[in-house]
Amino acid sequence: MAETNPKRSMDPNTGFCYQTGIYSSLNAPIPLPPTNQPLSVAEYCISLLHSTSTSGATTFVVNATTGQTLTYSQFVSQVRSLAYCLQKRYSLSQNDVAFILSPPSLHIPVLYFALMSLGIIVSPANPLGSNSEIAHQIQLSKPAIAFATSQTSHKIPSLKRGTILLDSPEFLSLLTQSNIDNNTIKPVKVNQSDLAAILYSSGTTGRVKGVMMTHRNLIAMMAAIHHSNTTEGNVSDKPPQSVTFFTVPLFHVFGFFMLLGAVLSADTVVLMERFEFEEMLRAVEKYKITDMPVSPPLVVAFVKSDLTKKYDLSSLQMLGCGGAPLGQEVARQFNEKFPNVLLVQGYGLTETTGGATRVIGPEEAARYGTVGRLSENMEAKIVDPVTGEALPPGQRGELWLRGPIVMKGYVGDEKATAETLDSEGWLKTGDICYFDSEGFVYIVDRLKELIKYKAYQVPPAELEHLLHSHPEIADAAVIPYPDEEAGQIPMAYVVRNPGSSITEAQVMDFIARQVAPYKKIRRVAFINSIPKSPAGKILRRELVNHSVSGGLSKL
């Protein structure tokens, strides 16, 4: 810390200190376990689960697609059984990486907890990823073993300890070993500084990166959830038993930390193997869903769809929106249509283990456009991208964050780590933001060039690389194009080779065959040349302006 007492000259309204240029959280710090205490995030969550008044018969997970359920006592015994078998039969050792490629199921939470309790690093990826994307992720994380399904396993190369199919009798037998108590399992000393997970993100630029998360990062995130359950939970009329429908994937940071948080809170989680809007509405009615983590496109669907009138959604109390900025108008329309549902926003990155800021309660939720205030134990700076100067409230600059939830770095990529994390532990988010006079954070724009399609990150560089590989394409640039439903869609500007008559459909099809569905190019314009700076950098802003003005201004 720059000062012995950073609170000394801190503005109590904004958390800003004029001496250091640092914003501190306005919330009191949350105590965390001593750093030198060996503790895995799995052990931390399960110990808090045991301290709740929940009975083991409470339902933990429901698969809305199949109707299967898992109680908390079944969950804990399956975690024990699987941990024992993985130790005994597969000779997995601490700090090995386990790659996971599977749609949501009851097995995923059991798998995450069993692996992390043994100090094995969990690395889940999108089961819809293309073969080349999966190959790149495996190259980054270097897993010893993989867990997949009979549908996804063909995408995984042969690994040292092989691939276990989650839908096989072999795997099911690993969950039901009887006579296992804590003494049967060889104790593993997991340090909080050890890696717990490698999640995939595009970072602030370029290709997909593997974000290294420590047990400490996740424990700090879980401590914040536990704190809000025990304090904020008493303020609102939150029922003791929350039923949360997961619309966000379990391999994405949002779903990942929400799943861990559900365990320590003893909530019931409802999953769906393949998301479908009307099926989700049916599940809200059937399971009396109270909470949902959502991305902005889903809020738009709630606002626009008449299907919402067909179902009884009266159990819904709160939607937590993240993954991309939510338009003020959409938030307003949602509140008009669903006055009894609290819609709150938060902000975070894979690199910050999820939530770095959040909105708390109805009063803050009524401030449209903000992603809330800094979470407990967090510090921030707003840095002028040109001068590097730390800016006071009301001024826009790049948001830098520091705190116990900031990642360890990018796996196998020291250069990207050094560009994103400085020597003092500040994470450069690549987002242009400002703090208002009451310490609320607003996201204005992105320094980074990522396209946010729904809550997914699409790096233009990756798509441009593929476009350049087409024999009929001379040059190409990919930009975000505004879309009400998805937030942004990838749009390509393409320069044809002389004599080529390649069509929009052919360009889109060429990319669609090589990438996951969310990365598809959904709009194409042909152009004579791509505008570039003298150094050869694509002038994306010109293309964005051109696309939005309907191409009337000639480039």
Side-chain angles (χ1 to χ4, degrees):
M1 297 287 158
E3 294 190 78
T4 48
N5 181 9
K7 303 274 181 198
R8 195 182 63 205
S9 57
M10 188 183 98
D11 177 342
N13 297 319
T14 60
F16 185 66
C17 168
Y18 281 87
Q19 279 144 294
T20 60
I22 294 172
Y23 295 83
S24 298
S25 174
L26 293 168
N27 301 324
I30 296 172
L32 298 175
T35 39
N36 57 0
Q37 178 191 338
L39 184 64
S40 75
V41 67
E43 196 187 331
Y44 180 77
C45 291
I46 287 176
S47 68
L48 287 172
L49 164 68
H50 288 322
S51 72
T52 62
S53 54
T54 308
S55 88
T58 301
T59 302
F60 165 39
V61 203
V62 179
N63 180 335
T65 311
T66 62
Q68 292 169 297
T69 62
L70 194 66
T71 65
Y72 269 99
S73 56
Q74 288 171 323
F75 167 68
V76 172
S77 88
Q78 287 189 9
V79 167
R80 265 198 209 131
S81 173
L82 181 57
Y84 170 74
C85 294
L86 290 174
Q87 235 180 13
K88 198 166 169 232
R89 292 191 205 171
Y90 295 93
S91 52
L92 286 170
S93 45
Q94 208 168 338
N95 298 321
D96 274 345
V97 175
F99 190 76
I100 299 165
L101 199 65
S102 164
S105 75
L106 303 192
H107 300 323
I108 299 292
V110 175
L111 185 56
Y112 284 1
F113 273 79
L115 291 166
M116 290 192 292
S117 70
L118 297 172
I120 294 163
I121 301 159
V122 170
S123 192
N126 186 349
L128 298 176
S130 71
N131 292 8
S132 62
E133 288 165 322
I134 305 294
H136 176 61
Q137 291 167 336
I138 283 176
Q139 200 183 333
L140 288 175
S141 59
K142 305 189 171 23
I145 192 168
F147 294 86
T149 64
S150 38
Q151 266 70 51
T152 61
S153 60
H154 69 275
K155 298 179 183 182
I156 298 173
S158 70
L159 301 172
K160 193 166 60 176
R161 309 253 178 251
T163 296
I164 297 175
L165 298 183
L166 299 178
D167 49 0
S168 67
E170 177 200 4
F171 180 76
L172 294 177
S173 74
L174 305 180
L175 301 176
T176 50
Q177 302 295 310
S178 49
N179 314 325
I180 293 175
D181 57 30
N182 285 339
N183 304 326
T184 330
I185 299 173
K186 221 170 38 209
V188 176
K189 184 181 158 195
V190 178
N191 293 315
Q192 292 181 56
S193 56
D194 291 344
L195 288 194
I198 296 171
L199 298 190
Y200 299 99
S201 149
S202 301
T204 47
T205 53
R207 280 193 90 176
V208 165
K209 296 176 180 64
V211 173
M212 297 189 284
M213 260 171 219
T214 63
H215 286 272
R216 179 73 171 179
N217 291 154
L218 288 161
I219 287 168
M221 192 72 205
M222 293 306 105
I225 291 176
H226 180 60
H227 174 77
S228 83
N229 289 347
T230 48
T231 55
E232 293 153 31
N234 300 337
V235 180
S236 67
D237 302 319
K238 189 180 178 204
Q241 181 64 34
S242 288
V243 184
T244 306
F245 184 93
F246 271 41
T247 65
V248 288
L250 300 180
F251 60 80
H252 186 282
V253 68
F254 198 176
F256 190 82
F257 84 75
M258 289 284 299
L259 181 67
L260 300 186
V263 171
L264 70 84
S265 313
D267 291 343
T268 296
V269 167
V270 180
L271 302 172
M272 192 181 277
E273 287 176 18
R274 222 192 157 93
F275 181 76
E276 204 274 319
F277 185 66
E278 189 165 6
E279 285 301 315
M280 175 205 73
L281 296 174
R282 196 169 283 134
V284 172
E285 178 177 279
K286 181 175 178 182
Y287 299 105
K288 301 199 168 20
I289 303 293
T290 58
D291 302 77
M292 282 168 67
V294 295
S295 59
L298 198 54
V299 182
V300 173
F302 266 105
V303 167
K304 295 200 156 183
S305 174
D306 286 335
L307 288 172
T308 56
K309 298 188 182 112
K310 271 177 65 178
Y311 297 91
D312 175 6
L313 308 180
S314 59
S315 60
L316 267 186
Q317 295 180 6
M318 190 169 88
L319 261 55
C321 187
L326 179 70
Q328 295 190 31
E329 198 41 50
V330 175
R332 214 170 261 123
Q333 289 169 349
F334 180 88
N335 287 342
E336 278 167 22
K337 188 170 175 182
F338 302 99
N340 299 322
V341 183
L342 189 62
L343 175 63
V344 296
Q345 281 201 80
Y347 165 83
L349 312 156
T350 311
E351 289 82 348
T352 60
T353 322
T357 74
R358 72 184 193 285
V359 164
I360 301 170
E363 204 176 302
E364 293 189 7
R367 294 170 173 263
Y368 296 118
T370 181
V371 290
R373 289 179 165 132
L374 269 184
S375 297
E376 295 86 354
N377 303 348
M378 290 303 288
E379 297 176 299
K381 279 194 213 177
I382 297 289
V383 177
D384 184 310
V386 180
T387 65
E389 183 194 352
L391 303 171
Q395 294 199 39
R396 298 174 174 196
E398 184 184 9
L399 177 67
W400 289 16
L401 293 166
R402 184 166 70 178
I405 59 174
V406 168
M407 68 166 180
K408 188 172 183 175
Y410 295 118
V411 67
D413 198 336
E414 286 173 24
K415 182 172 175 281
T417 301
E419 286 166 1
T420 309
L421 275 177
D422 79 3
S423 58
E424 293 180 352
W426 289 104
L427 174 85
K428 303 168 188 178
T429 67
D431 286 311
I432 299 289
C433 305
Y434 69 90
F435 280 76
D436 73 5
S437 59
E438 291 173 78
F440 288 92
V441 181
Y442 292 79
I443 314 283
V444 181
D445 202 351
R446 279 188 291 282
L447 265 182
K448 52 191 177 184
E449 297 170 337
L450 289 177
I451 297 164
K452 283 277 182 99
Y453 174 79
K454 302 199 170 171
Y456 293 111
Q457 297 180 336
V458 183
E462 187 178 336
L463 298 175
E464 285 158 2
H465 188 69
L466 291 171
L467 288 167
H468 288 145
S469 72
H470 193 289
E472 291 187 59
I473 293 176
D475 201 356
V478 175
I479 60 156
Y481 186 84
D483 178 86
E484 193 165 22
E485 194 201 332
Q488 296 177 333
I489 56 171
M491 173 179 181
Y493 274 95
V494 171
V495 180
R496 292 187 182 105
N497 265 335
S500 163
S501 56
I502 187 170
T503 65
E504 181 179 8
Q506 287 169 328
V507 171
M508 293 198 282
D509 184 50
F510 173 71
I511 295 295
R513 288 200 305 267
Q514 302 181 72
V515 298
Y518 69 89
K519 288 186 186 171
K520 286 180 185 174
I521 284 172
R522 291 163 195 274
R523 195 180 172 98
V524 176
F526 293 97
I527 197 169
N528 293 330
S529 67
I530 303 290
K532 293 181 183 171
S533 72
K537 201 166 166 42
I538 295 169
L539 300 174
R540 266 177 235 281
R541 181 56 49 202
E542 281 190 29
L543 290 171
V544 168
N545 294 342
H546 178 266
S547 69
V548 176
S549 65
L552 298 174
S553 57
K554 281 277 171 275
L555 279 168

